[in-house]
Amino acid sequence: MHPFLAWRLLRPSGLALALAGALATAAAPVAQAQVNLPALGDSVSEDLDINAENRLGERIMMEIRQDPDYLDDPVLSDYIQSIWQPLVQAAQDAGYLEPDRARLFAWETFEVREKSINAFALPGGYVGVHLGLIAMTGSSDELASVLGHELTHVVQRHIARGMAAQKRQSMLSMAGLVLGLIAATRSRNVDAANAVVMGSQAAAIQGQLNFSREMEREADHIGLQLMERAGFASSGMAQMFQKLEASSRLNDSNQYPYLRSHPLTIERISDARLRMNDSPSHRPPSVAVHALMQARARVLMDTGEMSLRRLQQQAQPGSPAIDTARLGTLYAGALASMKLRDFDQARRIADSALALARAHFADEAAALRDLSLLDLEIEVAMNRPDQPLATALAPLVKDDSRPVLLARTDAALAWQRAGDAAAPAEVRRAMEALQTWVTEHKNDTLAWQALSSSAEAQGLRLRSLRAAAEVAATQGDTVGAVDRFRTAQRLAKEDPNADYVEAAVIQSRLRELEAEKRREQAEDKN
């Protein structure tokens, strides 16, 4: 889909609108030329090489991560990654993704706290998914069809192709232009948005950012290939198209920006049906897991009290259903109760969800436990003073998945603050597991935050400061990261017993980030 329209990430401030207008004027020489697509596999011209595209994506994400609607929910993120990463691997195996880009780009997904049905690709391998999209998909195959489509936009460099006519613009100007257009198109003030987007120069640029019909066809065709290679059922794409068509026909009401950005034509639907085969998904069963993810998305996309009360009420006893819909309803009710701090009710509903899962979804029990239900048990137990730490965390000793690792750290820290004698040892175990995790996942902001908190709780100030600096670095705040690393460096010099290895890492990272800061300043001047 079009990556720059109808999404709710950046608030349309006066500064953003002014920036967009100024950049549109500065880009006046850009003509409304037709972008000629190279053949599949051809490289895009040097107007935007892969290094520049990667940096552009990083600069855009720096702004996006600061928006309150940006979301990295560990459980949802883990589930989306379980679909996304096989698709990325399929792109590599099929030869659509060369090693340099596979290594350089982030290949990062994130959620957007928004009810509308949308997903979008950004330069550098970033893909955002609205919670509303997760809530309306009926299976992992349907969600994979959308992610495969977005992945194709990235691997076929559709974004770079669309920007190819904008020659000799600096990376900062391009990033500012894109961010300004995002803010303008998101604006609920139609006049303000039109003042930016409908100007002749801005309209010309916007036209170049739109994906062409050929790009959309290519994204459908290759996305379907990647789905099948990754083990997903090809029927997921046709089912998704049918669901979008039926739902939007009954009630659009601005809830389907996905369809406005690339209309669902009869040609696209027919083509998906023709290319569909009867092969089922070759991936582990995930019907119940997907039902839980739908439920989690419903809770997180609207945390107003009325919505939470409604979800809680729907989970009350009385329904004879034993299907996945009922499992999702129970899970949503337990989460909603947690948000309302009604922990006794959360415990009762969570127990019902666990009993239903164990009795009727035994084949998916491990996935259910790893992805969500055990995580929910921890959340409930953290707020039950009669629940001993050892009992609550016992099932998680050998589980180092990201959602459980983060939840286990939060639980241990909460119990340490409450004075539980067993908590400090558990905090240390969690800290060591986090240290191993961030070694392999250097851009995981939440993991660095948890590591900083757990190190601080252990009295390891140097390690805590370093982790806090890495948090700033992952968020694109190079200046803040440099400041924190300098503070850590001073602390290491003043402490004769400072950890030598930690001090050496701090020194090395400080040099890297100071060089990055100088480069960013040079870009800003240009």
Side-chain angles (χ1 to χ4, degrees):
M1 62 160 289
H2 186 307
F4 305 117
L5 290 180
W7 59 313
R8 187 181 179 187
L9 280 176
L10 300 178
R11 299 288 189 243
S13 65
L15 176 60
L17 294 174
L19 174 63
L23 288 170
T25 302
V30 178
Q32 296 190 32
Q34 176 67 36
V35 177
N36 294 317
L37 296 182
L40 288 179
D42 287 354
S43 61
V44 180
S45 69
E46 295 182 359
D47 293 324
L48 191 68
D49 63 24
I50 62 171
N51 289 291
E53 184 178 349
N54 185 57
R55 284 293 302 144
L56 174 56
E58 289 175 349
R59 296 298 291 271
I60 295 173
M61 285 302 299
M62 186 191 312
E63 300 296 330
I64 287 175
R65 290 190 183 101
Q66 298 176 35
D67 189 271
D69 284 342
Y70 169 84
L71 181 66
D72 176 11
D73 176 73
V75 176
L76 275 179
S77 294
D78 200 59
Y79 178 63
I80 294 172
Q81 282 292 310
S82 74
I83 299 173
W84 172 250
Q85 287 302 327
L87 292 169
V88 174
Q89 185 60 54
Q92 289 184 259
D93 295 343
Y96 289 115
L97 181 56
E98 67 276 10
D100 284 347
R101 262 195 307 156
R103 182 176 58 255
L104 182 64
F105 281 13
W107 309 114
E108 175 184 323
T109 60
F110 59 94
E111 302 85 62
V112 183
R113 197 188 302 274
E114 172 56 83
K115 296 180 182 179
S116 60
I117 312 304
N118 208 359
F120 52 90
L122 293 172
Y126 300 95
V127 170
V129 182
H130 285 205
L131 294 182
L133 176 69
I134 302 170
M136 72 89 66
T137 53
S139 67
S140 58
D141 297 318
E142 291 181 10
L143 184 55
S145 73
V146 177
L147 293 177
H149 183 102
E150 299 308 320
L151 176 60
T152 303
H153 282 318
V154 178
V155 299
Q156 293 303 103
R157 304 205 66 202
H158 290 166
I159 301 167
R161 295 182 194 180
M163 300 177 73
Q166 299 176 43
K167 296 180 179 180
R168 299 182 181 87
Q169 287 196 56
S170 70
M171 186 183 303
L172 181 62
S173 294
M174 287 190 290
L177 170 63
V178 172
L179 292 170
L181 288 171
I182 289 171
T185 55
R186 170 61 187 89
S187 176
R188 296 198 185 278
N189 184 331
V190 177
D191 292 336
N194 286 344
V196 177
V197 180
M198 297 308 293
S200 59
Q201 292 88 359
I205 296 168
Q206 183 64 58
Q208 291 173 12
L209 291 177
N210 283 324
F211 291 148
S212 69
R213 285 176 177 266
E214 186 174 347
M215 289 177 177
E216 287 300 330
R217 284 195 298 270
E218 190 173 65
D220 283 348
H221 295 173
I222 296 178
L224 189 62
Q225 293 177 35
L226 299 183
M227 280 182 66
E228 293 177 331
R229 183 178 281 268
F232 296 100
S234 60
S235 57
M237 180 172 287
Q239 290 167 355
M240 188 66 188
F241 283 173
Q242 291 167 1
K243 184 173 293 186
L244 286 168
E245 182 187 33
S247 300
S248 63
R249 187 170 60 244
L250 291 173
N251 177 28
D252 184 354
S253 64
N254 295 322
Q255 289 300 300
Y256 292 84
Y258 187 85
L259 295 182
R260 291 197 300 275
S261 57
H262 56 74
L264 192 56
T265 62
I266 294 176
E267 178 189 5
R268 291 185 68 205
I269 297 173
S270 300
D271 195 41
R273 288 172 178 166
L274 288 172
R275 291 173 181 272
M276 179 180 69
N277 57 51
D278 296 328
S279 63
S281 172
H282 299 298
R283 303 190 61 75
S286 61
V287 176
V289 171
H290 190 81
L292 296 185
M293 296 304 101
Q294 286 181 291
R296 192 175 187 94
R298 287 199 302 271
V299 173
L300 294 177
M301 71 188 186
D302 187 355
T303 55
E305 184 175 355
M306 289 184 62
S307 296
L308 295 177
R309 293 288 180 195
R310 183 173 64 253
L311 292 170
Q312 186 185 51
Q313 184 61 36
Q314 290 171 354
Q316 296 305 309
S319 172
I322 57 172
D323 56 9
T324 55
R326 180 58 181 169
L327 180 63
T329 298
L330 289 171
Y331 182 59
L335 286 176
S337 299
M338 283 293 305
K339 298 283 184 186
L340 293 166
R341 302 193 66 76
D342 187 349
F343 302 118
D344 289 337
Q345 185 76 309
R347 177 74 277 165
R348 285 193 293 271
I349 299 175
D351 286 344
S352 297
L354 286 165
L356 178 61
R358 289 165 181 158
H360 299 283
F361 302 100
D363 291 342
E364 298 187 57
L368 290 169
R369 181 200 66 203
D370 292 344
L371 278 168
S372 51
L373 291 179
L374 205 52
D375 172 70
L376 177 60
E377 284 190 290
I378 296 176
E379 291 186 57
V380 174
M382 282 173 60
N383 293 279
R384 291 284 297 271
D386 58 324
Q387 175 72 70
L389 171 65
T391 301
L393 299 185
L396 310 178
V397 172
K398 296 182 180 180
D399 190 338
D400 285 329
S401 65
R402 181 177 185 254
V404 172
L405 180 58
L406 294 172
R408 188 171 66 196
T409 305
D410 288 343
L413 289 169
W415 266 298
Q416 180 164 313
R417 290 190 294 269
D420 191 309
E426 182 58 39
V427 171
R428 176 167 287 278
R429 278 193 289 271
M431 180 186 68
E432 291 170 353
L434 284 165
Q435 189 68 63
T436 300
W437 176 268
V438 296
T439 300
E440 299 179 0
H441 305 84
K442 294 181 173 60
N443 295 318
D444 191 334
T445 302
L446 293 183
W448 282 114
Q449 288 173 337
L451 179 57
S452 180
S453 297
S454 57
E456 182 71 25
Q458 292 285 307
L460 302 174
R461 191 173 174 221
L462 190 61
R463 184 177 296 192
S464 177
L465 275 172
R466 181 210 162 186
E470 296 290 5
V471 170
T474 62
Q475 294 174 331
D477 181 8
T478 306
V479 174
V482 167
D483 288 344
R484 287 171 176 80
F485 272 119
R486 284 175 178 168
T487 300
Q489 185 184 52
R490 287 195 298 270
L491 180 65
K493 290 179 179 179
E494 294 169 0
D495 183 0
N497 298 316
D499 186 315
Y500 172 78
V501 174
E502 198 74 35
V505 171
I506 289 169
Q507 179 65 31
S508 174
R509 288 290 288 135
L510 179 58
R511 284 196 299 266
E512 291 175 3
L513 286 163
E514 284 177 333
E516 174 74 8
K517 181 180 175 182
R518 288 192 296 270
R519 189 172 65 79
E520 288 180 359
Q521 290 172 339
E523 286 178 0
D524 291 345
K525 289 180 180 178
N526 291 332

